[in-house]
Amino acid sequence: MSMLLKAAPMEQAKQARQWSPYVDNGGSVLGVAGKDFVVLAGDTRMSYGYSIASRNVTKIVKLTDQCVLASAGMQSERHTLHKVLKAKAIMFENTHQKQMSTKSMSQCLGNTLYYKRFFPYYTFNVLAGLDEKGVGAVYGYDAIGSFERVPYVCTGSGSALATSILDNQVLFKTQPQNKRDLSLEETVNLVKDVFTCISERDIYTGDNAEIFVITKDGIKKEVFKLRAD
Amino acid sequence: MSATGSGYDLSVTTFSPDGRVFQVEYAAKAIEKSGTSIGIRCKDGVVLGVEKAIVSKMIMNESNRRIYTVGIHNGIALSGFAADARQIVNRGREEAANYKSYYASVIPGKVLANRLAGFVHLYTLYWYYRPFGCAVLIASYSPQGEPELHQIDPSGVCHAYHAAVIGKNKEAAKSELERIDFSTFTCREAIREIARIIYKLHDESKDEDFTLEMTWACEESKKKHERVPAELLESAVKYAKDLKAKEEQDSDDDDDDDAPPAST
């Protein structure tokens, strides 16, 4: 009996790292909505720990003629999620003889993410497109599909660095007396500046930024150089 | 009567040697005794009208529904087994709600019709189910779309129509409808036309008394599927009754003018 009461010798608490299915490949993504346009940008650096795995991996996918999706987080999850959504967009177009509206796509993405609520896609998504009235729409998501339509959003490793700048420069939160709508050119320049700022301080953001601009005339892509260090 | 299936008609999973599935054809027969349902797709919307036989004077008005609303912008009119059709309506409501939760937008008529057609078709594939003994007309006018009218048979076939009829007097009603120019037809005209056709084809001596149930989804109703306003329906019914009375009188007069009395 006394044997049982003796406490077993304490083992060294094993600190072995448990295998994780997730990895963070870094990078930042941001979208800004305008009156009749949207700008969606994402850097092209893919990191693995403190190494750079690639300087030229896109985070953005075109879903319809009026809608693009960008995702920061884990590259392989992003790749799969983009494939799944593209397939859904094509199937919708086949049954409806017209493309999914941005609103429908936003709902579809939210549902797709929640479907994997208990083994989530490690992606932080931003969906951008023109709504049914032709006004710019940006939707920000979390990993399990909670989403909201917003004037702008930044996700990924540089999100904290960018969001406050955008609060100031898009919604003029700290200077309401100067509040005004930004033009397309001003927005694109702002996005470039924001990415430059993020790359200064965030080691996971840099190399190039792909900037997608959507207007009623279609989708245009521009590649903007960032710091490579 | 129609040719017997002679053994090939016992199960819905059996083909006859000439490639027919008799059970599905018999299901279609169940509809031929039921009250007529007419749908017309107009320039500015869709109208549905049903000849509802009064089964018993004890039934409360409006309790015997033959047209149901599905997802605000769609209407389903039925002929045949009402209980069977109720299942189709319920499924339609689920599909509409499900679509909304997935795509954040109103289900287009074509998509709803195709999904319900698939549902109906399902019941012709398994031996432990029997086919639906009803046909439905689906009227749709979604905000981002155009007016649509679809018909689903017990076989699960679904087509889009300018105008469609199911139930008794189907053939006669179809020939009446073929005269319409659908490119200019409006919903208000359609209401009168449906009333006219139903009253015309109703045979007082053979058929039971009936009431007319009519709904529409059009510009005036803001694309929502609703009952036709009471005054419009009343005036259409009056027009139909007057026209019928006039035609009967004309034909009586013609009969008088024709052959002299047989007696010498």
Side-chain angles (χ1 to χ4, degrees):
Chain A
M1 275 305 277
S2 56
M3 285 294 220
L4 285 167
L5 291 170
K6 236 196 265 181
M10 277 275 274
E11 292 187 13
Q12 278 288 355
K14 292 233 163 74
Q15 296 293 335
R17 191 161 171 261
Q18 221 233 337
W19 179 84
S20 165
Y22 295 119
V23 100
D24 187 359
N25 295 125
S28 313
V29 144
L30 82 87
V32 183
K35 235 186 178 140
D36 54 359
F37 64 88
V38 249
V39 179
L40 182 62
D43 74 320
T44 61
R45 173 176 289 178
M46 181 189 153
S47 316
Y48 194 81
Y50 285 118
S51 308
I52 294 180
S54 169
R55 295 192 189 276
N56 194 15
V57 173
T58 179
K59 294 184 171 63
I60 304 182
V61 69
K62 175 184 153 203
L63 295 172
T64 72
D65 289 338
Q66 301 224 301
C67 179
V68 285
L69 170 65
S71 321
M74 188 173 168
Q75 199 268 1
S76 54
E77 299 269 73
R78 188 194 35 74
H79 182 68
T80 305
L81 177 65
H82 286 190
K83 271 196 335 190
V84 165
L85 276 184
K86 243 193 124 58
K88 292 191 176 185
I90 291 171
M91 292 198 291
F92 185 100
E93 202 177 330
N94 284 336
T95 48
H96 294 69
Q97 258 86 58
K98 65 175 184 194
Q99 296 190 323
M100 237 197 266
S101 65
T102 304
K103 184 161 184 238
S104 295
M105 186 59 81
S106 72
Q107 186 78 23
C108 186
L109 172 56
N111 286 338
T112 306
L113 292 169
Y114 196 80
Y115 209 72
K116 278 181 42 90
R117 168 67 178 82
F118 298 111
F119 185 9
Y121 284 108
Y122 194 132
T123 54
F124 302 101
N125 301 288
V126 176
L127 184 81
L130 296 179
D131 70 9
E132 268 134 19
K133 296 197 178 71
V135 176
V138 165
Y139 296 85
Y141 292 76
D142 72 0
I144 49 173
S146 161
F147 72 98
E148 190 189 15
R149 184 172 173 180
V150 285
Y152 56 84
V153 67
C154 183
T155 65
S157 52
S159 60
L161 299 166
T163 307
S164 304
I165 308 179
L166 294 171
D167 285 339
N168 181 285
Q169 293 293 312
V170 177
L171 287 187
F172 296 90
K173 286 266 168 81
T174 52
Q175 34 168 342
Q177 67 276 15
N178 297 331
K179 191 167 184 340
R180 60 190 174 80
D181 289 334
L182 297 176
S183 72
L184 173 54
E185 212 187 306
E186 285 175 315
T187 309
V188 172
N189 286 333
L190 175 62
V191 166
K192 288 177 178 172
D193 284 347
V194 168
F195 260 97
T196 310
C197 286
I198 302 176
S199 331
E200 288 293 314
R201 297 288 181 170
D202 177 25
I203 57 174
Y204 298 111
T205 304
D207 295 321
N208 288 306
E210 283 179 326
I211 302 179
F212 281 68
V213 174
I214 310 180
T215 57
K216 63 169 169 32
D217 301 324
I219 305 179
K220 286 202 188 61
K221 173 177 144 180
E222 187 188 334
V223 178
F224 175 65
K225 262 178 103 64
L226 299 173
R227 285 183 74 124
D229 64 354
Chain B
M1 263 299 280
S2 45
T4 56
S6 48
Y8 299 110
D9 60 346
L10 298 175
S11 160
V12 84
T13 55
T14 307
F15 277 101
S16 74
D18 51 347
R20 296 157 70 178
V21 179
F22 280 104
Q23 279 296 310
V24 172
E25 292 184 22
Y26 295 164
K29 289 263 181 261
I31 306 162
E32 282 169 22
K33 300 272 186 304
S34 166
T36 318
S37 299
I38 301 182
I40 301 185
R41 172 189 185 264
C42 314
K43 207 173 55 171
D44 58 337
V46 204
V47 184
L48 292 173
V50 175
E51 173 198 3
K52 270 194 316 195
I54 296 177
V55 175
S56 156
K57 297 238 171 358
M58 297 296 191
I59 293 182
M60 291 182 67
N61 276 347
E62 310 311 324
S63 162
N64 181 23
R65 298 294 304 274
R66 290 279 295 276
I67 309 181
Y68 295 91
T69 301
V70 166
I72 304 177
H73 296 279
N74 308 289
I76 296 187
L78 64 102
S79 279
F81 290 1
D84 284 9
R86 194 95 182 91
Q87 293 301 317
I88 299 178
V89 168
N90 283 337
R91 179 71 185 214
R93 288 173 173 168
E94 276 174 41
E95 295 283 356
N98 188 259
Y99 189 95
K100 191 91 192 269
S101 81
Y102 206 77
Y103 293 112
S105 112
V106 172
I107 190 169
K110 181 170 63 173
V111 175
L112 175 64
N114 281 327
R115 290 202 186 175
L116 289 180
F119 178 66
V120 169
H121 177 235
L122 208 62
Y123 287 72
T124 66
L125 295 172
Y126 303 103
W127 64 266
Y128 46 81
Y129 282 146
R130 65 162 173 80
F132 283 92
C134 62
V136 292
L137 296 176
I138 306 176
S140 318
Y141 201 0
S142 51
Q144 260 81 48
E146 304 203 340
E148 297 177 74
L149 175 67
H150 295 265
Q151 177 186 324
I152 304 181
D153 289 340
S155 60
V157 146
C158 171
H159 292 302
Y161 287 83
H162 292 287
V165 197
I166 48 179
K168 64 169 117 110
N169 300 324
K170 195 167 65 165
E171 301 306 326
K174 276 188 193 168
S175 21
E176 292 287 330
L177 290 169
E178 271 162 21
R179 299 188 202 153
I180 301 173
D181 175 7
F182 294 105
S183 59
T184 54
F185 216 51
T186 62
C187 282
R188 283 178 170 247
E189 290 175 301
I191 293 172
R192 296 170 78 94
E193 188 63 12
I194 292 179
R196 182 188 74 78
I197 295 175
I198 288 183
Y199 270 89
K200 177 172 178 178
L201 299 174
H202 179 83
D203 187 341
E204 250 99 46
S205 54
K206 281 196 288 180
D207 304 328
E208 301 153 316
D209 274 343
F210 71 97
T211 56
L212 196 52
E213 184 177 349
M214 262 209 209
T215 61
W216 64 357
C218 61
E219 302 289 342
E220 257 187 77
S221 75
K222 300 206 180 43
K223 304 192 182 181
K224 295 192 184 151
H225 178 254
E226 347 180 288
R227 299 298 200 98
V228 159
E231 342 72 68
L232 269 184
L233 185 55
E234 269 169 39
S235 83
V237 166
K238 185 171 178 311
Y239 161 76
K241 281 185 172 157
D242 289 347
L243 202 60
K244 181 163 182 174
K246 184 173 175 300
E247 280 176 5
E248 278 173 359
Q249 210 188 26
D250 286 346
S251 75
D252 284 343
D253 291 341
D254 286 340
D255 286 339
D256 290 340
D257 291 338
D258 280 344
S263 57
T264 43

